[in-house]
Amino acid sequence: MTVHNLAETNSVLNHFISEIRDLEIQKDSMRFRRNIERIGEILSYEMSQKLSFRSKTVQTPLGEKNVSIVSEKLVLCSVLRAGLPLHQGVLNYFDQIENAFISAYRKHTTTEDFDIKVEYLASPSLEGKTVILADPMLATGSSLVAVLKALKNMGNIKQIHIVSVIAAREGVEFVAKHFPENSHLWVATIDADLNSKGYIVPGLGDAGDLAFGEKI
Ligand code: URA
């Protein structure tokens, strides 16, 4: 797996990341969702550079022009529910993309231990397609590995691009061990630690709750 950590280059992306981490700004859930969406747009642009392109002739009012357009069959799969604002960001740039949704949640066995439960998957065939997997918080990496297992039942995937907002170093290593060699991870930033409950530190807290409110 090739890891692209976009925080290594200074850009306006870092402003959005600083806002989603900030306790005060987090109180505005609309701004939180919109920032995640904007990060999804930037990750999409960066990722697009590794896709396959074909040439096409476009007729303008004044003549013809040869242009390059994406030639791959793309499916965007998001992990519910925190993935939804990131999903919208990717959709803003790949407007003809097919869509899949999957649920992956932590079922706690004790306060600190949990299993990942995948209970819902709505997906088109993935045969020969490139999958963009949107999961904003790559913490332990175990949800993404459970998601990959479920997606394998939907056809032979050509290639996977994971888009993520904040990842923990440990999670990146775990995912790299389980995903195919030709996969790419596009991540806005990587944090050093995970706490005993599997949350990214310093991270930002619970992305699903910040976007959509607390759950019981
Ligand atoms: N999911 C989140 O929302 N935050 C984390 O830190 C880890 C998983």
Side-chain angles (χ1 to χ4, degrees), residues 2-202:
T2 312
V3 179
H4 309 265
N5 177 5
L6 302 191
E8 284 170 357
T9 310
N10 280 335
S11 79
V12 71
L13 173 67
N14 294 334
H15 289 238
F16 305 149
I17 300 169
S18 96
E19 286 200 5
I20 59 173
R21 288 186 193 273
D22 188 309
L23 259 177
E24 277 307 307
I25 302 174
Q26 284 183 347
K27 289 175 186 159
D28 181 351
S29 64
M30 190 170 76
R31 188 162 190 89
F32 183 82
R33 290 193 300 273
R34 181 65 189 116
N35 274 329
I36 299 273
E37 191 180 325
R38 296 200 282 190
I39 293 169
E41 290 171 354
I42 292 170
L43 293 169
S44 298
Y45 172 77
E46 294 290 338
M47 185 204 63
S48 71
Q49 299 174 53
K50 291 280 183 224
L51 297 176
S52 308
F53 283 73
R54 68 179 169 84
S55 64
K56 176 188 164 177
T57 306
V58 176
Q59 180 72 50
T60 80
L62 300 173
E64 285 184 344
K65 179 73 182 171
N66 276 334
V67 294
S68 295
I69 55 166
V70 174
S71 59
E72 288 183 51
K73 291 182 192 144
L74 297 173
V75 178
L76 169 59
C77 178
S78 290
V79 184
L80 299 171
R81 69 189 160 139
L84 289 176
L86 193 60
H87 189 100
Q88 186 58 52
V90 179
L91 210 51
N92 291 347
Y93 276 30
F94 295 100
D95 35 289
Q96 301 301 327
I97 201 166
E98 289 187 280
N99 295 269
F101 297 93
I102 189 161
S103 72
Y105 74 95
R106 295 173 170 187
K107 190 166 170 51
H108 280 269
T109 45
T110 65
T111 350
E112 296 191 351
D113 284 324
F114 55 83
D115 297 325
I116 301 294
K117 294 275 171 209
V118 172
E119 286 181 349
Y120 174 82
L121 170 60
S123 171
S125 162
L126 301 180
E127 189 63 39
K129 297 178 187 167
T130 297
V131 172
I132 301 172
L133 199 47
D135 189 9
M137 305 298 284
L138 197 177
T140 62
S142 38
S143 335
L144 277 179
V145 172
V147 164
L148 175 66
K149 193 171 164 213
L151 293 184
K152 281 185 172 164
N153 297 322
M154 309 309 289
N156 289 312
I157 298 171
K158 185 181 164 218
Q159 193 172 26
I160 300 177
H161 291 269
I162 302 167
V163 291
S164 192
V165 176
I166 305 183
R169 209 184 307 283
E170 191 182 315
V172 174
E173 282 164 18
F174 186 73
V175 166
K177 268 193 215 133
H178 290 85
F179 271 65
E181 187 76 34
N182 69 345
S183 305
H184 288 260
L185 167 66
W186 302 89
V187 61
T189 188
I190 298 179
D191 284 0
D193 295 313
L194 278 177
N195 69 14
S196 60
K197 292 186 172 164
Y199 274 79
I200 301 170
V201 179

